Amino acid sequence: MAETRSNIVWFVADQMRADAMGHLGNPAAVTPNLDALATEGVSFADAYCQNPVCVPSRCSFLTGLYPHTLGHRTMHFMMREEDPNILRTMKEAGYEVVWIGRNDFIPGTWRKSAYCDHYYDGIDSDDKAAVEGGGVNFGRMAEGMPAPEMPAVFDGVETKYSFMQGRYPEHSLDATFDWNCVRSVLDFLDSVDPATQEKPFFIYCTLMFPHPPYGCEEPWYSLVDRGSLPPRRPDVETLSGKASILTKIRERQGMRDWGEEQYNEMRAVYLGMTARWDHMLGLVLDKLRERGLYDETSVFAFSDHGDLTGDYGIAEKCQNSFEDPLTRVPLVVKPAARFNVCPGVRRGTVGLIDLPATVAEMADIDLGYVQFGHSLMDAISGGETPDDAVFSEGGRLHGEWQAMEPEHGPASAYWPRISAQHEEGPAHTKAAMVRQGSLKYVMRLYEGDQLYDLASDPMETVNRIDDPAYAEDAERLRARLLRFYMETADYVPPRFDKR
């Protein structure tokens, strides 16, 4: 390899929660590749996304800026051409950038060639980097999908809004989006000869799984032992002090009549989807080894955000609540052999916002703008994690119709959540979370705040905001949140405009 810089692979899940991995303590999880990668590299056990839905989270981890910094707080306000972006930065720095799969950060009408050298959309094997408007068509993604073998009804209970599908026949999904994406990764790696490689590559492969609907094919469906599932978080109506949007979604998803067997099936299928994603990661790792590229490649395996998966009696996600199933995500980093690593599970809060700074240090490049993440390289080599606190945010102000996802109506599968976002009550309030140590504080603009002690209450069931024993902690965390907004509230582009 002529270049002195190592290759980089970002292998990204959609909606995978951190506790879906075996090495973080889930006895029912089937994640051998993630678990093995954590023994060779570092698994950040307290990694958080900066927004619990796709577009704002991706706009953040691709820039090192918070969702609020440039107004990327909704599913439908994506990046502008002048916004910084790690893909474009890496391309300009001399990397061969390969973007595969999900978009969710630039308008679909744009050419992808400003951001990458190759773009594969998961529909076919054509390189669409220079195609205007080339991108994922979600209607085409669903073409040819078979019906699941197990119907989306349990014992006569309608599950219209649960996203539950169940078991698919073996090989029935072989031509669908995620498999097409992984084949594109493998095909690209087959084209790379480390002996003659002139430029290092940066692969950004972002899949759909385990994003609902909850369904997967054999053998992954049956890999999960239903009897080993950890406890589910209590239904939200049995708790006090929770975000009202959770209560509204719970009321509208039609899952109140479910029993634990039904919830367990949903949770097991989700872990089966995670197991399939893990298998796909293994295929990529094996191909890197086969091609003699493994030692010269740093691999990042992570997810954009999490999923409730039946916790609190709710399916799917929520745009302005910050419980760990939604915001605590996998982040496993196996650095190239040239970098020092102290392998294993690393405690201490970090954010996906730290990824661009980490890549910049690995690649020895200057990002060229002020951003708010911190490199994880010292923590990877055995030092402390760089962040004293980690932050996540979501929701909207009253009147921000553009943040309601207004194109969804009652026919949408997302309607139980979206309908609450359409209302001007307190449910879709703008909100922000700070976690520092074992304490998590959430400021909610139009309803009561929240404070959880994760050391004594890991399921976030007891809101301590009015507990006198935690009054000083609440004030300290409010002050930290104020400082956070002072530091990150806007971004001045690195240029001078002439008057």
Side-chain angles (χ1 to χ4, degrees):
M1 180 176 175
E3 262 279 0
T4 60
R5 297 178 293 181
S6 60
N7 307 305
I8 298 172
V9 173
W10 280 13
F11 198 75
V12 187
D14 194 334
Q15 221 148 307
M16 186 189 297
R17 41 195 282 174
D19 63 2
M21 298 187 294
H23 69 269
L24 291 189
N26 190 325
V30 185
T31 52
N33 294 294
L34 283 165
D35 299 341
L37 210 62
T39 66
E40 185 178 353
V42 173
S43 177
F44 290 94
D46 301 306
Y48 283 79
C49 63
Q50 277 51 74
N51 188 286
V53 296
C54 303
V55 171
S57 176
R58 291 168 190 260
C59 287
S60 180
F61 72 64
L62 287 163
T63 61
L65 302 172
Y66 285 96
H68 71 265
T69 305
L70 293 174
H72 297 301
R73 295 189 289 106
T74 82
M75 293 291 285
H76 299 288
F77 178 63
M78 298 186 178
M79 290 187 181
R80 304 297 92 188
E81 290 183 285
E82 66 272 16
D83 289 355
N85 181 282
I86 192 64
L87 300 186
R88 182 166 59 197
T89 298
M90 297 300 281
K91 180 177 179 180
E92 292 171 353
Y95 273 72
E96 185 172 12
V97 176
V98 186
W99 172 8
I100 298 170
R102 296 292 300 270
N103 176 4
D104 283 347
F105 75 89
I106 65 171
T109 55
W110 292 5
R111 288 185 176 89
K112 308 299 188 292
S113 52
Y115 298 88
C116 61
D117 300 285
H118 312 284
Y119 173 65
Y120 302 99
D121 65 5
I123 302 301
D124 51 44
S125 59
D126 296 337
D127 186 345
K128 299 182 177 67
V131 176
E132 186 172 2
V136 175
N137 180 314
F138 287 93
R140 289 188 63 198
M141 284 172 59
E143 287 179 5
M145 282 284 289
E149 289 181 332
M150 187 179 72
V153 174
F154 296 102
D155 299 328
V157 177
E158 174 64 44
T159 61
K160 177 179 179 181
Y161 293 117
S162 72
F163 294 87
M164 185 64 198
Q165 290 191 346
R167 180 179 60 234
Y168 282 86
E170 188 171 4
H171 298 300
S172 63
L173 305 184
D174 284 1
T176 53
F177 179 81
D178 280 14
W179 285 111
N180 291 339
C181 289
V182 170
R183 278 190 286 271
S184 294
V185 178
L186 303 181
D187 288 345
F188 173 78
L189 293 175
D190 274 332
S191 73
V192 177
D193 182 351
T196 59
Q197 183 184 1
E198 295 183 357
K199 298 193 330 185
F201 57 74
F202 182 104
I203 297 176
Y204 175 56
C205 178
T206 172
L207 305 184
M208 288 290 296
F209 264 37
H211 190 295
Y214 305 104
C216 68
E217 71 272 44
E218 296 287 8
W220 298 282
Y221 171 87
S222 295
L223 282 181
V224 178
D225 179 5
R226 273 67 174 163
S228 297
L229 292 165
R232 184 175 67 89
R233 296 185 178 212
D235 294 340
V236 69
E237 66 267 23
T238 68
L239 306 173
S240 60
K242 301 301 286 184
S244 63
I245 197 165
L246 296 180
T247 302
K248 285 184 175 289
I249 295 171
R250 168 70 168 157
E251 290 170 350
R252 300 173 190 190
Q253 277 188 333
M255 296 164 60
R256 284 179 175 270
D257 294 332
W258 281 32
E260 287 308 310
E261 182 178 356
Q262 294 157 308
Y263 282 114
N264 285 345
E265 184 63 19
M266 169 187 279
R267 297 162 70 213
V269 171
Y270 175 83
L271 291 180
M273 298 172 74
T274 302
R276 198 190 82 173
W277 185 93
D278 179 87
H279 172 78
M280 291 173 160
L281 171 64
L283 294 176
V284 173
L285 298 176
D286 286 345
K287 181 61 71 172
L288 288 168
R289 295 185 184 101
E290 174 193 319
R291 299 296 301 163
L293 296 162
Y294 187 79
D295 288 345
E296 282 298 325
T297 302
S298 296
V299 178
F300 293 69
F302 62 97
S303 179
D304 59 350
H305 57 83
D307 186 272
L308 285 167
T309 331
D311 278 337
Y312 307 117
I314 300 168
E316 213 237 329
K317 58 193 171 189
C318 172
Q319 206 264 343
N320 69 334
S321 192
F322 307 101
E323 285 75 12
D324 271 12
L326 292 167
T327 53
R328 182 169 162 252
V329 294
L331 176 56
V332 183
V333 183
K334 189 284 298 182
R338 67 181 67 191
F339 298 111
N340 293 328
V341 59
C342 180
V345 174
R346 189 80 74 253
R347 306 304 310 203
T349 53
V350 301
L352 297 184
I353 198 169
D354 296 323
L355 294 178
T358 305
V359 166
E361 183 172 350
M362 279 184 168
D364 192 24
I365 62 174
D366 183 353
L367 291 174
Y369 63 98
V370 174
Q371 51 86 53
F372 304 120
H374 304 95
S375 173
L376 301 176
M377 291 304 291
D378 185 58
I380 287 170
S381 64
E384 297 295 320
T385 53
D387 306 318
D388 76 294
V390 67
F391 305 89
S392 190
E393 55 189 346
R396 64 175 177 88
L397 300 172
H398 285 164
E400 283 191 307
W401 61 267
Q402 69 274 29
M404 298 179 187
E405 300 184 53
E407 79 289 354
H408 287 279
S412 169
Y414 297 104
W415 185 241
R417 171 169 60 86
I418 301 298
S419 62
Q421 293 178 201
H422 284 195
E423 297 171 356
E424 288 288 33
H428 200 216
T429 179
K430 197 174 186 182
M433 176 209 92
V434 53
R435 177 178 168 183
Q436 192 171 50
S438 66
L439 296 179
K440 179 188 288 188
Y441 169 72
V442 179
M443 179 178 285
R444 305 187 69 77
L445 188 60
Y446 302 135
E447 60 186 4
D449 295 346
Q450 299 167 294
L451 180 65
Y452 297 103
D453 187 340
L454 300 181
S456 60
D457 179 27
M459 288 192 176
E460 299 166 272
T461 61
V462 181
N463 184 357
R464 301 284 188 180
I465 195 64
D466 295 322
D467 187 337
Y470 287 85
E472 290 185 6
D473 294 312
E475 282 304 312
R476 173 174 53 83
L477 291 168
R478 286 190 192 102
R480 185 65 185 89
L481 200 58
L482 173 62
R483 178 182 162 194
F484 159 71
Y485 275 112
M486 178 65 78
E487 291 172 335
T488 65
D490 56 12
Y491 160 78
V492 180
R495 67 170 189 266
F496 294 102
D497 293 328
K498 294 182 179 181
R499 290 182 292 174

